Amino acid sequence: MTATGPSRILTLDAVRGIAVMGILLMNIVSFAMPDAAYVHPLALPPVSDGDLVAWGINQLLFEGRMRGLFALLFGASTLLVMARADAAGGSPVATHLRRMAVLALFGAAHFLLLWEGDILLHYAILGMVLWLARDWPVDKLVRAAVIALSLHSLYWSFQIGGALMFQAMATGPDATPQMVAGYRTMLAGFPGPGSPAIVRDLAIYTGDYAGIVEHRLSDKLWTPWELLKVLGGESLGYMLIGMALMKSGLFTGEWPRAAVRRVMVVAYAVSLPLLALLTCWTVASGFDRIVIMGNFIAWAVPLRVLCALGHVALAVLLVQRFAASALVARIAAAGRMAFTNYLATSAVMTTIFYGYGLGLYGSVGRAELYWFVAAMWAAMLLWSRPWLDRFRYGPLEWLWRSLARGRIEALRRS
């Protein structure tokens, strides 16, 4: 099976299924709690020991990695779509840009009408430049990814490092009243307990639908562009790595199992102990806001990339080992419908937690949220394969494809 052939690539579909399920492990907090709680575990009291354990596990294994895995697979799939367009005699670049334009519209609608945690518009904007790298060899893709990730991490390391230096001066014995006042102002901009934004979020998201949409239009409209600043370099790095892995044959079975296993072992051996140290530092600091933000946006980034590569290698090994199993088939079906499942998750979870639905926003503890995750996973696994037994594409994949091609694609299987 080649990357340009018309057949589905089971490994790619299954890993995408794992990614679309796994991203909910972190997104569930944004669906159910104020924004500050996504970054700071003590932002919304009361906080139980179970909540802290759930936070710690996510910091060690999942935070940033599921989002990164999603971006990595976006890059791999983008390269695959362009290769298939080329093989079919079409224009790879025109095909890609049309897909990105339609994806941007979906992302904007998702952001305004359902959930401001949308990542689709972010990917569409970054995806507009990916065509420039379609012919790059693997080593050039890897170098570009390293540059993008390094610049991102260095920029934010300097920013957070400056904040830590100011904290040390403003809390020291020689601090002037002006320094103390400036420090308090600065600290208020970091997520944490007592933030005025928490009270605002609780009031808005326990309210009606019209009020939530109005809030997005008036106060959140620039969020997608802020996301580019905060995560753009990291996301682009992951996408380029995904293109490199696709070109090198990881998802098409061209890597020896021993090589995949070696990547997994090295990635985990390097990243997990250091990620554990960063998590312990956060706890030892008393959950200092600046330390938490530094780990979130800067210092953990290279380690998260390594850990994500370990996750990819582990997933590839498991999928190839159990390729004939019913569970892998269902996970792969969920991956083929990742676009639909991602947006359906937003519709379901916002209806459960926001005021116009069941109104559970801010009232469910962090640990208990994972019951909702398990239920949504079950729904994805249960409905995706029966749908694809009857139809060629997921419903929103079909709509995306039809809009991008400018014609109604056949949906039902003959």
Side-chain angles (χ1 to χ4, degrees):
M1 183 185 300
T2 65
T4 58
S7 302
R8 301 296 310 190
I9 299 175
L10 175 66
T11 302
L12 189 63
D13 286 337
V15 177
R16 190 186 296 110
I18 292 169
V20 76
M21 294 168 67
I23 202 169
L24 184 56
L25 288 168
M26 297 309 303
N27 284 353
I28 190 66
V29 178
S30 291
F31 285 125
M33 294 180 172
D35 287 346
Y38 186 91
V39 178
H40 201 295
L42 306 184
L44 188 66
V47 178
S48 69
D49 290 342
D51 294 335
L52 289 177
V53 169
W55 169 84
I57 291 172
N58 278 326
Q59 292 301 301
L60 182 62
L61 295 175
F62 302 117
E63 162 53 38
R65 270 128 294 178
M66 295 298 103
R67 182 179 67 248
L69 191 56
F70 217 49
L72 184 151
L73 291 166
F74 181 85
S77 298
T78 295
L79 186 63
L80 182 62
V81 168
M82 287 191 285
R84 286 176 171 167
D86 194 21
S91 168
V93 176
T95 298
H96 170 68
L97 292 179
R98 284 197 302 269
R99 291 182 78 250
M100 293 302 99
V102 174
L103 183 63
L105 293 176
F106 272 110
H110 181 221
F111 169 78
L112 289 173
L113 302 178
L114 277 180
W115 182 51
E116 58 267 25
D118 168 74
I119 202 71
L120 301 177
L121 180 56
H122 180 72
Y123 285 1
I125 295 169
L126 292 172
M128 290 290 184
V129 303
L130 287 184
W131 67 270
L132 294 169
R134 62 184 285 268
D135 294 323
W136 290 359
V138 171
D139 59 341
K140 186 173 181 179
L141 287 167
V142 172
R143 286 198 301 271
V146 170
I147 291 171
L149 291 164
S150 298
L151 290 175
H152 169 93
S153 189
L154 286 171
Y155 173 80
W156 287 110
S157 292
F158 280 120
Q159 297 293 319
I160 301 298
L164 282 175
M165 290 178 62
F166 186 53
Q167 180 186 55
M169 292 187 293
T171 57
D174 299 325
T176 65
Q178 291 79 8
M179 290 173 62
V180 172
Y183 170 65
R184 289 174 178 169
T185 300
M186 180 190 75
L187 203 62
F190 286 81
S195 169
I198 295 175
V199 176
R200 179 207 63 194
D201 286 353
L202 288 170
I204 290 169
Y205 296 109
T206 55
D208 60 20
Y209 182 76
I212 292 173
V213 173
E214 192 279 330
H215 169 65
R216 290 177 190 139
L217 287 169
S218 60
D219 298 330
K220 292 279 191 173
L221 199 57
W222 292 102
T223 296
W225 311 110
E226 293 168 1
L227 191 65
L228 276 177
K229 178 181 178 182
V230 174
L231 294 178
E234 184 179 359
S235 298
L236 182 60
Y238 274 114
M239 291 176 186
L240 292 168
I241 290 172
M243 295 173 76
L245 293 178
M246 189 72 218
K247 282 201 170 190
S248 69
L250 174 66
F251 298 114
T252 52
E254 297 172 45
W255 282 35
R257 287 183 63 83
V260 181
R261 192 178 300 111
R262 188 160 53 249
V263 168
M264 179 190 71
V265 171
V266 172
Y268 284 156
V270 174
S271 65
L272 291 180
L274 294 174
L275 285 164
L277 285 175
L278 289 180
T279 304
C280 290
W281 179 28
T282 298
V283 176
S285 73
F287 296 97
D288 182 271
R289 298 180 187 214
I290 302 175
V291 170
I292 288 176
M293 183 56 74
N295 286 335
F296 173 71
I297 204 172
W299 305 315
V301 168
L303 303 175
R304 289 201 299 248
V305 174
L306 276 178
C307 189
L309 289 174
H311 289 351
V312 170
L314 175 60
V316 168
L317 290 171
L318 290 175
V319 170
Q320 292 176 349
R321 171 67 177 81
F322 299 103
S325 73
L327 179 58
V328 168
R330 287 190 175 273
I331 293 172
R336 288 179 61 185
M337 292 176 53
F339 186 49
T340 295
N341 281 321
Y342 174 75
L343 292 173
T345 297
S346 294
V348 170
M349 292 302 166
T350 52
T351 301
I352 289 172
F353 291 105
Y354 287 2
Y356 56 79
L358 299 182
L360 298 181
Y361 190 84
S363 64
V364 181
R366 189 181 297 262
E368 286 73 28
L369 290 176
Y370 294 97
W371 292 109
F372 296 90
V373 172
M376 194 67 214
W377 284 359
M380 290 184 196
L381 294 175
L382 287 171
W383 93 288
S384 298
R385 189 174 182 188
W387 176 276
L388 290 173
D389 286 341
R390 295 166 176 80
F391 301 99
R392 298 173 186 270
Y393 318 105
L396 294 181
E397 283 79 4
W398 168 80
L399 183 57
W400 184 11
R401 190 182 183 97
S402 296
L403 291 172
R405 294 192 172 192
R407 63 175 185 266
I408 303 298
E409 294 287 307
L411 178 59
R412 186 177 292 275
R413 292 187 180 278
S414 55

